[in-house]
């Protein structure tokens, strides 16, 4: 299984700067897979004339599939067990996979996830038609409520920018909100600024399990957040530079909101956290205790992961609210490396004991569900 680390994914800032040249900026024109897509837009995954299964639908913005938009294909795929194969392209739309459409699979037809992009530009403070604003959940480009969802080689993005909307105070802009149990992402990208990847559950009492393998996520404030039980294996997280701030912290990578009754929150293993911002300008995490669940006890373990210099090694954690200090939550590290993992103030870097680390594994977090097996 190839690693995403040697090849630097195109930053969303470059994507945005391209304007009308979005396709070129995303590498669509230059990518060998994209070039081949002109003749075989669905690659090795069949076509409307040669379907993989009767429950496979093909999506292509150029009209060579069953549908030209992801939302239309989702609407047509009622029930359980549908597969959508997405041809190369930029799908500018908002998509909701409701809870009834279980065991769905979305596949980017190319090997490079940069070739298939689902993107929109809505923020929490964006006015709704008819009054009010969207809020954080409503800002999501893609909302995935169904259990058993799998995505492969797709980019999920929200390209709303603070600089373009100086009067908007609700700057959360979610690329994807994931709520379903057994949700898996292989070789996917999550691009945004604030609240990029909302790894959540459908209810306080639902312990939704999620698995992210060989993925890439970037952002600035709390850009991986929520109450899911989520494993991030061999993933890369990149913190963005900010020209609107003059002093650190610029933001926080993780903001879990794990329910107090849930013994397991986020597990990051064998990953990398790097930065385009100045050294020590980011915190590794802060706990999110929502007003809707003041009994939450956020849980995060980061282990066997490289933390580059963008992470503040002296004080890597911060409070979101002084009423819920991070020291009272469930944060821990184990065998991390890199300048951002240097232990200079031991009290600020809680570490797992070896016997505790033996329980901090993907199998312990995900139980009888093994999404790392099979085709990726």
């Amino acid at each position: 299984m190839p690693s995403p680390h040697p090849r630097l994914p195109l930053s969303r800032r470059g994507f945005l700067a391209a304007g009308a040249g979005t396709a070129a900026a995303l590498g669509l024109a230059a990518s060998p897979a994209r070039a081949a897509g002109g003749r075989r837009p669905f690659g090795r995954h069949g076509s409307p004339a040669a379907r993989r299964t009767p429950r496979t639908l093909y999506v292509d913005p150029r009209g060579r599939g069953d549908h030209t938009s992801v939302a239309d294909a989702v609407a047509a795929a009622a029930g359980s067990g549908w597969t959508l194969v997405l041809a190369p392209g930029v799908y500018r739309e908002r998509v909701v996979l409701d809870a009834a459409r279980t065991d769905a699979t979305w596949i980017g037809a190319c090997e490079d996830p940069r070739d298939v992009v689902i993107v929109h530009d809505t923020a929490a403070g964006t006015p709704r038609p008819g009054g009010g604003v969207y809020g954080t959940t409503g800002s999501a480009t893609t909302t995935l409520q169904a259990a058993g969802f799998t995505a492969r080689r797709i980019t999920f993005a929200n390209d709303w920018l603070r600089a373009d909307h100086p009067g908007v105070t609700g700057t959360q802009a979610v690329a994807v909100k994931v709520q379903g149990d057994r949700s898996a992402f292989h070789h996917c990208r999550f691009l945004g600024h604030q609240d990029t990847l909302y790894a959540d559950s459908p209810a306080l009492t639902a312990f939704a399990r999620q698995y992210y393998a060989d993925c890439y996520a970037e952002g600035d404030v709390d850009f991986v957040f929520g109450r899911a039980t989520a494993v991030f294996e061999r993933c890369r997280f990149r913190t963005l530079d900010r020209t609107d701030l003059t002093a650190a912290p610029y933001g926080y990578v993780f903001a879990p909101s794990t329910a107090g009754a849930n013994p397991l929150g986020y597990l990051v293993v064998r990953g990398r956290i790097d930065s385009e911002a100045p050294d020590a300008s980011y915190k590794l995490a802060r706990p999110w205790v929502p007003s809707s669940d003041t009994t939450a006890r956020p849980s995060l373990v980061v282990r066997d992961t490289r933390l580059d210099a963008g992470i503040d090694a002296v004080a890597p954690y911060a409070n979101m609210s002084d009423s819920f200090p991070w020291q009272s939550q469930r944060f821990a590290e184990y065998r991390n490396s890199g300048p951002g993992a240097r232990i200079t103030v031991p009290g600020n870097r809680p570490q797992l004991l070896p016997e505790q680390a033996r329980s901090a594994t993907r199998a312990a977090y995900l139980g009888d569900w093994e999404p790392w097996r099979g085709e990726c």
Side-chain angles (χ1 to χ4, degrees):
M1 184 180 294
S3 167
H5 302 329
R7 185 173 186 181
L8 178 66
L10 183 79
S11 167
R12 193 176 70 90
R13 289 177 178 257
F15 160 48
L16 291 167
T22 295
L26 285 166
L28 299 182
S31 165
R34 172 59 170 155
R39 298 184 299 275
R40 298 179 59 216
F42 305 107
R44 60 187 174 88
H45 302 287
S47 69
R51 295 185 191 276
R52 293 181 65 178
T53 70
R55 284 188 169 243
T56 299
L57 295 177
Y58 294 87
V59 189
D60 176 28
R62 296 172 61 183
R64 296 166 293 180
D66 301 300
H67 302 277
T68 57
S69 78
V70 180
D72 286 348
V74 168
S80 181
W82 286 88
T83 295
L84 305 186
V85 180
L86 279 56
V90 176
Y91 298 86
R92 179 162 287 278
E93 55 181 307
R94 286 158 55 85
V95 185
V96 176
L97 182 75
D98 64 58
R101 289 169 163 78
T102 57
D103 299 308
T105 299
W106 296 1
I107 301 172
C110 298
E111 296 301 306
D112 192 333
R114 294 177 299 179
D115 289 341
V116 177
V117 182
I118 305 173
V119 60
H120 209 267
D121 59 349
T122 304
T126 300
R128 277 185 179 274
V133 296
Y134 280 92
T136 300
T137 289
S139 75
T141 297
T142 303
T143 301
L144 303 168
Q145 300 171 337
F149 175 81
T150 299
R152 300 190 182 105
R153 304 184 190 278
I154 296 172
T155 293
F156 299 89
N158 190 320
D159 61 2
W160 189 92
L161 278 180
R162 299 181 187 98
D164 295 340
H165 305 274
V168 174
T169 56
T171 57
Q172 302 89 342
V174 177
V176 61
K177 180 170 184 176
V178 188
Q179 296 177 280
D181 185 37
R182 296 178 293 104
S183 295
F185 299 81
H186 302 272
H187 301 278
C188 289
R189 301 165 70 233
F190 308 96
L191 310 184
H193 278 264
Q194 183 171 352
D195 292 10
T196 304
L197 171 54
Y198 197 169
D200 204 44
S201 75
L204 291 177
T205 56
F207 302 159
R209 295 165 295 174
Q210 299 172 16
Y211 179 67
Y212 301 80
D214 303 287
C215 290
Y216 171 88
E218 67 176 32
D220 48 41
V221 177
D222 305 331
F223 65 93
V224 181
F225 73 113
R227 64 174 173 248
T229 294
V231 174
F232 302 88
E233 186 167 34
R234 298 184 306 275
C235 291
R236 179 182 175 190
F237 307 89
R238 185 164 179 82
T239 59
L240 300 175
D241 201 2
R242 295 187 64 174
T243 59
D244 59 321
L245 296 179
T246 58
Y250 286 8
Y252 315 84
V253 181
F254 302 101
S257 58
T258 321
N262 187 354
L264 302 169
Y266 289 176
L267 171 65
V268 180
V269 58
R270 296 200 303 265
R272 178 173 181 177
I273 301 173
D274 58 20
S275 182
E276 65 178 43
D279 290 357
S281 56
Y282 274 85
K283 304 294 186 181
L284 181 61
R286 62 178 181 172
W288 177 29
V289 179
S291 58
S292 59
D293 180 22
T294 56
T295 65
R297 283 198 65 213
S299 170
L300 169 70
V301 172
V302 180
R303 62 169 300 173
D304 302 293
T305 289
R306 178 175 175 83
L307 312 181
D308 287 348
I311 297 299
D312 180 357
V314 176
Y317 304 105
N319 296 339
M320 188 176 293
S321 166
D322 290 341
S323 299
F324 305 100
W326 71 263
Q327 294 90 341
S328 300
Q329 312 309 322
R330 296 175 286 179
F331 286 0
E333 302 175 54
Y334 185 69
R335 291 195 317 199
N336 293 324
S337 62
R342 191 175 300 118
I343 301 174
T344 58
V345 181
N348 288 345
R349 312 281 322 226
Q351 303 290 310
L352 294 179
L353 297 173
E355 55 267 29
Q356 294 173 315
R358 285 194 284 272
S359 298
T361 66
R362 65 187 185 185
Y365 273 60
L366 302 181
D368 58 358
W369 179 49
E370 299 180 331
W372 52 86
R373 299 188 185 278
E375 180 187 1
C376 291

